[in-house]
């Protein structure tokens, strides 16, 4: 099921939650809506589901080319997994999962035996076979999450929408469920959209990522594109850690933090003040200058417990820089607090101030 | 295990360490004062009611109920409760639904308004209806034209009772609905349930204990209301006397045995209400069972096993 949204706006009182947003979700895709809270991502998800209506004057919402704007939630056949799961607290796990089947009109309702069989299959799928007769309050967070997913899948939805699916879980469970959901999606290929404010989650899980900010879409792209080629300062800042400098573009040269570099190709025609961004892992750290333009700095602090070593550096010009180097390189350089180093930036992203 | 035992032992040997605990004489004095107060103001009157009622034996006690005037009072009280309680159940539920699930202008004003009957003296509540529907009231002339009598008749008693007992159901249900929000309803709708199905299968079961609790309190007040009813009833014997009014009447006529016998009905109602209330409170507490740790079911699923069951999913998702 392909989903298309055209020129969607939504205001709550005087607050503009969505501002003329257009988006298309390919059939079978797993798409992430990534943004800070208040960026409109949950509103967008709820509009796709039909839980919220877009403002008058918004364009249509198309499912496989057919407008569903006038269809109510129940007619859209979407599976929605709520942020806090919204399990029916007075029903057992099995009853929760069967709910969507049991409320169907009599003529469409499967037989009782059929419902029971379906519930059993779904419980096996989410691996909660032993818990059919438990109540939601007797389950852990991860288990509740899986019941919510099973309940949404029971109706064979053509679209699966998940609102912060792992938001309320602790870090380890979160990671495991994330992998499991990716596997599940690889096999069933139901068009899925999930909302998250966690960049790792979006980059790891999604086929494509939509970065939202202040009711607008900042960038749509694969996780690679969004991470390595951010189109705006906001995306650069929001997706991944970053060092930020004020600099100048002049005649094809870029100057920042007492350093002159060749301007990146896409910016060599412009001149004027600019903001300069470098990811921590794009800062090369060495003991001696290696011939390329580099900054002199002292190691102020370091954190070596982890897959990479994080360094806090203080440049001669008084700038604070964050760098990440591999454990092997860290040992080879033999760094300690106070060591003098040369820092060479790569993959510098520049956004002129006027933009 | 050993450490746990020693820790408990240490507590047992040093009770005075608990900073919030008073010395023994102070504790005894405070507890005794509370119990004496309860005894004098609650238990003694309670016993006195039954003692007075049975003073002239069981025969006289039972005879008090076979009196046609008593029977008519009982009937009227039951009738009033049978109308007022279901009406307030409906209105209370609707009001709670409105306040708990929707945002609108004037919501806080509505909540305050719901509490109004609790803030106003019942006598004033009765008087409002007299001023509205009485012969010299705002609508009195118009009603008289059509020969409709509200004041000094059963309709007035029902109205006054409904007014006084209005907040009980709404006040019990509103906080619960506000706390629960709309997420479950939204989930039900996204799963294909219609409005009525959502209400019957999700909203109502979630508030059923609070609702029942409200109804019990509402019923107790409806049957026991004196002030407002006294103003609108006109005390017409055998016609507009409810149980509380009948008790007053008997008492004023120095017919103590009959007065206390009929009063014992209301006291019994109160005791039954308390018992029901306790049961409902206990039920609603156990409905929220604590989390049971489970060693057999993992927090996260096993990826290899998921692959095994994907065959089933294919069937499940066959439509795609």
């Amino acid at each position: 099921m392909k989903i298309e949204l055209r020129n969607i706006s939504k205001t709550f009182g005087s607050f503009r939650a969505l501002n003329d947003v257009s988006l298309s979700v390919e059939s079978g895709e797993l798409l992430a809506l990534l943004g800070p809270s208040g960026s409109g991502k949950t509103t967008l998800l709820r509009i796709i589901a039909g839980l919220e209506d877009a403002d008058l004057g918004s364009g249509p919402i198309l499912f496989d080319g057919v407008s569903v704007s006038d269809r109510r939630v129940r007619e859209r056949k979407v599976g929605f997994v709520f942020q806090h799961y919204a399990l029916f607290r007075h029903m057992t796990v099995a009853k929760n999962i069967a709910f969507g089947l049991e409320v169907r009109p009599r003529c469409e309702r499967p037989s009782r035996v059929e419902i029971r069989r379906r519930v059993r299959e779904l419980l096996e799928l989410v691996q909660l076979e032993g818990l059919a007769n438990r109540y939601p309050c007797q389950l852990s967070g991860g288990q509740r999450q899986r019941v919510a997913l099973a309940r949404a899948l029971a109706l064979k939805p053509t679209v699966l929408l998940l609102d912060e699916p792992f938001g309320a879980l602790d870090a380890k469970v979160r990671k495991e469920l994330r992998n499991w959901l990716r596997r599940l999606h690889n096999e069933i290929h139901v068009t899925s959209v999930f909302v998250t404010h966690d960049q790792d989650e979006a980059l790891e899980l999604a086929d494509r990522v939509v970065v939202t900010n202040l009711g607008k879409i900042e960038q749509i792209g694969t996780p690679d594109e969004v991470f390595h080629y951010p189109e705006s300062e906001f995306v650069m800042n929001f997706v991944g850690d970053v060092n930020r400098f004020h600099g100048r573009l002049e005649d094809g040269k870029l100057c920042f933090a007492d350093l002159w570099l060749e301007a990146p190709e896409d910016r060599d025609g412009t001149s004027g003040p600019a903001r300069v961004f470098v990811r921590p892992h794009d800062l090369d750290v060495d003991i001696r200058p290696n011939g390329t333009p580099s900054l002199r700095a002292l190691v102020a602090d370091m954190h070596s417990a982890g897959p990479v070593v994080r360094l806090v550096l203080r440049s001669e010009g008084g700038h604070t820089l964050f760098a990440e180097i591999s454990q092997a390189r860290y040992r080879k350089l033999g760094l300690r607090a106070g060591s003098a180093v040369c820092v060479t930036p790569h993959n510098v992203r520049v956004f002129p101030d006027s933009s | 295990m050993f450490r746990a035992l020693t820790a408990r032992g240490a507590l047992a040997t040093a009770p005075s360490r608990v900073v919030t605990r008073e010395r023994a004489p102070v504790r005894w004095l405070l507890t005794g004062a509370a119990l004496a107060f309860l005894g004098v103001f609650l238990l003694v009157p309670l016993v006195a009611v039954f003692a007075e009622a049975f003073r002239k034996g069981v025969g006289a006690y039972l005879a008090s109920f076979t009196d046609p005037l008593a029977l008519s009072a009982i009937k009227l009280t039951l009738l009033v409760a049978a109308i007022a309680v279901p009406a307030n159940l409906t209105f209370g539920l609707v009001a709670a639904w409105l306040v708990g699930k929707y945002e609108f202008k004037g919501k806080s004003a509505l909540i305050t308004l719901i509490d109004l009957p609790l803030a106003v003296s019942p006598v004033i509540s009765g008087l409002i209806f007299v001023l509205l529907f009485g012969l010299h009231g705002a609508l009195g002339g118009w009603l008289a034209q059509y020969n409709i009598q509200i004041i000094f008749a059963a309709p007035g008693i029902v109205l006054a009772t409904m007014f006084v007992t209005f907040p009980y159901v709404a006040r019990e249900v509103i906080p619960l609905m506000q706390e629960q929000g709309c997420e479950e309803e939204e989930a039900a709708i996204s799963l294909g349930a219609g409005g009525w199905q959502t209400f019957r299968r999700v909203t109502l079961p979630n508030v059923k204990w609070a609702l029942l609790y409200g109804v019990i309190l509402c019923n107790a007040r409806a049957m026991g209301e004196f002030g407002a009813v006294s103003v609108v009833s006109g005390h017409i014997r055998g016609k507009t006397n409810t149980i509380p009014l009948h008790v007053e009447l008997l008492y004023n006529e120095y017919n103590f045995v009959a007065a206390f016998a009929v009063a014992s009905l209301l006291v019994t109602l109160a005791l039954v209400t308390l018992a029901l209330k306790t049961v409902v409170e206990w039920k609603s507490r156990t409905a929220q069972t604590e989390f049971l740790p489970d060693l057999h079911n993992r927090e996260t699923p096993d990826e290899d096993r998921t692959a095994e069951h994907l065959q089933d999913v294919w069937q499940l998702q066959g439509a795609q």
Side-chain angles (χ1 to χ4, degrees), chain A residues 115-281:
Chain A
I115 290 178
R116 213 174 301 148
R117 190 182 67 80
R118 193 83 70 75
V119 168
R120 205 172 49 237
E121 279 175 356
L122 284 157
L123 279 171
E124 277 174 20
L125 176 74
V126 297
Q127 294 174 27
L128 294 172
E129 299 96 323
L131 302 185
N133 294 319
R134 288 283 185 83
Y135 285 89
C137 62
Q138 299 170 319
L139 302 178
S140 68
Q143 291 167 341
R144 283 180 210 185
Q145 170 63 49
R146 282 182 281 154
V147 174
L149 195 62
R151 184 176 70 176
L153 287 174
L155 285 175
K156 298 179 184 172
T158 50
V159 174
L160 187 60
L161 305 171
L162 306 111
D163 187 6
E164 297 272 5
F166 312 113
L169 302 171
D170 61 63
K172 191 165 156 51
V173 176
R174 210 173 161 127
K175 252 192 166 140
E176 284 170 357
L177 267 183
R178 201 193 283 173
N179 293 337
W180 177 80
L181 183 68
R182 179 70 245 187
R183 273 281 277 275
L184 193 70
H185 183 266
N186 285 349
E187 301 292 338
I188 63 179
H189 284 306
V190 55
T191 307
S192 307
V193 181
F194 73 97
V195 157
T196 180
H197 60 263
D198 180 337
Q199 36 138 337
D200 290 336
E201 205 164 281
L203 298 180
E204 199 177 310
L205 196 52
D207 296 318
R208 285 195 306 152
V209 178
V210 176
V211 186
T212 57
N213 182 36
L214 301 174
K216 284 195 164 254
I217 292 179
E218 291 274 339
Q219 185 171 0
I220 305 177
T222 62
D224 251 9
E225 287 166 354
V226 170
F227 187 77
H228 293 294
Y229 305 102
E231 281 169 8
S232 70
E233 190 181 336
F234 174 81
V235 178
M236 186 88 208
N237 261 318
F238 193 72
V239 181
D241 299 321
V242 75
N243 289 295
R244 187 168 189 257
F245 306 94
H246 286 284
R248 281 193 73 76
L249 278 166
E250 256 166 48
D251 307 325
K253 293 271 186 193
L254 170 68
C255 167
F256 72 96
D258 312 324
L259 198 63
W260 285 90
L261 299 174
E262 291 296 320
E265 278 167 28
D266 55 334
R267 304 287 185 212
D268 58 3
T270 43
S271 285
R275 283 141 303 155
V276 181
F277 298 88
V278 191
R279 297 245 187 250
H281 62 262

Side-chain angles (χ1 to χ4, degrees), chain B residues 84-109:
Chain B
V85 173
N88 277 338
L89 168 66
T90 315
F91 294 146
L93 204 53
V94 170
W97 167 272
L98 207 61
V99 169
K101 308 281 178 184
Y102 295 96
E103 287 302 323
F104 55 90
K105 271 185 189 165
K107 184 162 138 176
S108 55

Side-chain angles (χ1 to χ4, degrees), chain A residues 46 51 73-74 78 80 82-91 96 99-104 117-118 121-122 124-131 134 137-144 146 151-153 155-158 169-170 172-174 176-177 179-180 183-184 187-191, chain B residues 101 176-177 179-208 286-320:
Chain A
R46 290 171 63 87
L51 289 168
V73 189
R74 50 196 293 209
V78 295
F80 200 101
F82 290 82
Q83 184 173 6
H84 302 292
Y85 322 129
L87 297 178
F88 306 127
R89 66 192 85 195
H90 64 280
M91 292 183 204
N96 262 282
F99 185 87
L101 299 168
E102 284 179 348
V103 295
R104 282 192 186 178
R117 190 182 67 80
R118 193 83 70 75
E121 279 175 356
L122 284 157
E124 277 174 20
L125 176 74
V126 297
Q127 294 174 27
L128 294 172
E129 299 96 323
L131 302 185
R134 288 283 185 83
C137 62
Q138 299 170 319
L139 302 178
S140 68
Q143 291 167 341
R144 283 180 210 185
R146 282 182 281 154
R151 184 176 70 176
L153 287 174
L155 285 175
K156 298 179 184 172
T158 50
L169 302 171
D170 61 63
K172 191 165 156 51
V173 176
R174 210 173 161 127
E176 284 170 357
L177 267 183
N179 293 337
W180 177 80
R183 273 281 277 275
L184 193 70
E187 301 292 338
I188 63 179
H189 284 306
V190 55
T191 307
Chain B
K101 308 281 178 184
L176 195 62
M177 280 200 176
E179 180 202 318
Q180 289 175 351
C182 301
E183 262 209 340
E184 285 182 47
E185 278 81 5
E186 283 184 343
I189 289 166
S190 82
L191 290 167
W196 173 244
Q197 279 175 317
T198 304
F199 179 74
R200 195 173 57 84
R201 286 170 176 261
V202 176
T203 309
L204 202 54
N206 274 348
V207 298
K208 68 178 171 197
T286 49
Q288 311 252 327
T289 330
E290 288 297 300
F291 168 64
L292 310 170
D294 191 303
L295 299 174
H296 304 294
N297 280 281
R298 290 152 44 82
E299 173 87 347
T300 53
D302 177 346
E303 290 201 16
D304 293 332
R305 277 188 54 212
T306 306
E308 282 171 38
H309 293 297
L310 282 168
Q311 197 59 39
D312 299 329
V313 186
W314 278 117
Q315 287 170 0
L316 237 60
Q317 304 291 330
Q320 291 144 46

Side-chain angles (χ1 to χ4, degrees), chain B residues 102-116:
Chain B
Y102 295 96
E103 287 302 323
F104 55 90
K105 271 185 189 165
K107 184 162 138 176
S108 55
L110 179 67
I111 298 175
T112 314
L113 212 59
I114 289 173
D115 281 347
L116 182 72

Side-chain angles (χ1 to χ4, degrees), chain B residues 3-235:
Chain B
R3 282 181 61 184
L5 277 176
T6 50
R8 189 175 298 172
L11 264 179
T13 52
S16 58
R17 285 282 178 82
V18 182
V19 290
T20 53
R21 185 174 285 187
E22 303 296 336
R23 287 159 183 278
V26 180
R27 281 210 311 276
W28 283 107
L29 201 70
L30 287 173
T31 315
L35 285 178
F37 189 86
L38 274 176
V40 170
F41 285 93
L42 288 176
L43 207 60
V44 170
L46 199 65
V47 174
V49 170
F50 286 97
E52 285 291 330
F54 285 102
R55 183 183 289 258
K56 290 184 181 164
V58 180
Y61 176 77
L62 291 176
S64 317
F65 300 116
T66 50
D67 173 33
L69 292 183
L71 277 178
S72 115
I74 292 169
K75 254 193 250 169
L76 182 60
T77 298
L78 290 177
L79 176 76
V80 168
I83 298 171
V85 173
N88 277 338
L89 168 66
T90 315
F91 294 146
L93 204 53
V94 170
W97 167 272
L98 207 61
V99 169
K101 308 281 178 184
Y102 295 96
E103 287 302 323
F104 55 90
K105 271 185 189 165
K107 184 162 138 176
S108 55
L110 179 67
I111 298 175
T112 314
L113 212 59
I114 289 173
D115 281 347
L116 182 72
L118 292 181
V120 176
S121 154
V123 175
I124 310 296
S125 308
L127 216 55
I128 295 170
F129 288 98
V130 173
L131 291 175
L132 263 180
F133 301 119
L135 200 54
H136 304 289
L139 300 172
W142 183 79
L143 287 169
Q145 267 179 19
Y146 295 92
N147 216 6
I148 301 170
Q149 194 174 8
I150 289 183
I151 298 306
F152 307 143
I157 298 174
V158 172
L159 283 175
T161 307
M162 274 169 66
F163 179 83
V164 171
T165 58
F166 178 75
Y168 289 90
V169 173
R171 276 177 65 94
E172 287 304 323
V173 182
I174 285 172
L176 195 62
M177 280 200 176
Q178 275 179 326
E179 180 202 318
Q180 289 175 351
C182 301
E183 262 209 340
E184 285 182 47
E185 278 81 5
E186 283 184 343
I189 289 166
S190 82
L191 290 167
W196 173 244
Q197 279 175 317
T198 304
F199 179 74
R200 195 173 57 84
R201 286 170 176 261
V202 176
T203 309
L204 202 54
N206 274 348
V207 298
K208 68 178 171 197
W209 292 117
L211 196 63
L212 190 58
Y213 188 78
V215 166
I216 290 169
L217 292 181
C218 181
N219 182 61
R221 182 73 198 265
M223 290 192 172
E225 176 55 28
F226 179 84
V229 170
S230 175
V231 176
V232 295
S233 109
H235 303 266

